[in-house]
Amino acid sequence: DLASHFYEAGIWSKAAEYGQRAGERALILYAPRAAVEHLTRTLDALTHLGGTPPATVWRARGQAYETIGEFEQARADYERALSIARQTQDGLMEWQSLLDIGFWWLGHDYAQAGEWFRRSLDLAQRLDDPRLHARSLNRVGNWLVNTGRAEDGLHAHQEALAIFESLQDKQGMAETFDLLGMA
């Protein structure tokens, strides 16, 4: 209610703040249409304030659009999040956006998905972040297994597992074991 009232009143800073919170909450509560509405208003309020909306808002709205089957709008928002992440040199958001776009492509062109997952792997290596590296290895590995290159995929998963084990990351190890089991 506060987000809507601030938006209607043209109190843009509060509309943006409460709109983003309402949109993110709507996503958590599996209300993607409400999330799209709140996040669209948030983007509009931020435009009135003259700043560049953060990549997180574009990403969240992309997730909501994808959930309701508005795939082209989702892709556009994911690409916008990627562009902003690159402009602001936010490596983590850039990496996440590459994965988001890769997952988006899984339902449209499997070869394209692999390219985006490889880009996330390249970026994780440049960022020198072992967790991101391992997570990207798992995405690439799963893609390889599903495209008939099981041996290469298994190698990627085993490399990811070794990284997660060295970090004592139990969640990462569990996710990797799951992918290894499917492979």
Side-chain angles (χ1 to χ4, degrees), residues 15-67:
E17 175 188 348
Y18 284 94
Q20 183 173 354
R21 289 171 53 189
E24 290 169 352
R25 184 79 174 143
L27 274 176
I28 291 168
L29 296 173
Y30 303 104
R33 291 186 192 284
V36 166
E37 179 182 339
H38 286 295
L39 294 167
T40 298
R41 286 182 172 183
T42 299
L43 291 167
D44 186 47
L46 290 167
T47 300
H48 278 90
L49 292 170
T52 300
T56 54
V57 177
W58 292 102
R59 178 178 187 259
R61 193 175 75 166
Q63 290 173 307
Y65 272 136
E66 191 167 11
T67 301

Side-chain angles (χ1 to χ4, degrees), residues 12-158:
W12 304 122
S13 62
K14 293 288 186 184
E17 175 188 348
Y18 284 94
Q20 183 173 354
R21 289 171 53 189
E24 290 169 352
R25 184 79 174 143
L27 274 176
I28 291 168
L29 296 173
Y30 303 104
R33 291 186 192 284
V36 166
E37 179 182 339
H38 286 295
L39 294 167
T40 298
R41 286 182 172 183
T42 299
L43 291 167
D44 186 47
L46 290 167
T47 300
H48 278 90
L49 292 170
T52 300
T56 54
V57 177
W58 292 102
R59 178 178 187 259
R61 193 175 75 166
Q63 290 173 307
Y65 272 136
E66 191 167 11
T67 301
I68 61 175
E70 299 289 339
F71 297 113
E72 289 306 317
Q73 290 92 330
R75 184 175 84 167
D77 282 358
Y78 289 149
E79 289 174 353
R80 181 69 179 179
L82 175 61
S83 175
I84 293 168
R86 285 179 173 157
Q87 289 170 8
T88 59
Q89 298 180 349
D90 182 346
L92 179 59
M93 181 53 70
E94 181 179 353
W95 174 83
Q96 184 61 64
S97 296
L98 292 169
L99 280 185
D100 290 338
I101 295 168
F103 279 115
W104 184 92
W105 276 107
L106 285 176
H108 306 279
D109 182 336
Y110 218 71
Q112 281 287 331
E115 178 58 32
W116 289 96
F117 292 145
R118 281 191 180 98
R119 290 179 190 181
S120 79
L121 179 59
D122 291 342
L123 178 59
Q125 289 171 322
R126 287 194 312 274
L127 294 173
D128 196 28
D129 185 318
R131 276 189 178 80
L132 300 184
H133 185 185
R135 289 181 63 200
S136 290
L137 280 167
N138 274 336
R139 297 287 47 94
V140 170
N142 191 55
W143 179 82
L144 287 166
V145 167
N146 289 332
T147 58
R149 291 174 272 181
E151 188 174 325
D152 292 335
L154 286 169
H155 177 72
H157 290 315
Q158 289 165 346

